[in-house]
């Protein structure tokens, strides 16, 4: 029974790690710049989506915790 529980826990733990894509760190200045620009574009898009959402919705609370200046 303990072996089964340990196996199940190990499977869940490894499964959670596999769900996130691996992104190697950039090695050149150009790659760092491209990465930074991508992050800035993604953040700007997230803020645009948050501005269009209903502020009272559950989705807004889940996806826009930093909107409105409440930095975390």
């Amino acid at each position: 029974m303990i072996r089964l529980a340990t196996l199940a826990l190990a499977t869940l733990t490894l499964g959670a790690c596999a769900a996130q894509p691996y992104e190697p760190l950039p090695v050149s200045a150009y790659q760092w710049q491209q990465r930074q620009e991508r992050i800035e574009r993604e953040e700007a898009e997230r803020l645009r989506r948050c501005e269009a959402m209903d502020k009272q919705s559950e989705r807004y609370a889940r996806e826009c915790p930093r909107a409105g200046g409440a930095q975390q």
Side-chain angles (χ1 to χ4, degrees), residues 15-66:
C17 293
Q20 297 180 3
Y22 170 73
E23 181 181 337
L25 289 176
V27 293
S28 71
Y30 175 77
Q31 289 174 333
W32 278 104
Q33 179 182 3
Q34 292 298 310
R35 178 179 183 262
Q36 185 62 32
E37 289 172 358
R38 178 182 48 82
I39 291 169
E40 290 172 359
R41 282 192 310 270
E42 290 171 356
E43 180 65 9
E45 178 61 27
R46 186 189 69 79
L47 291 174
R48 280 193 294 275
R49 282 193 317 266
C50 289
E51 289 174 3
M53 282 186 211
D54 176 19
K55 307 292 189 261
Q56 303 301 319
S57 69
E58 289 180 28
R59 182 177 178 192
Y60 181 85
R62 182 178 61 243
E63 295 181 12
C64 305
R66 293 180 284 168

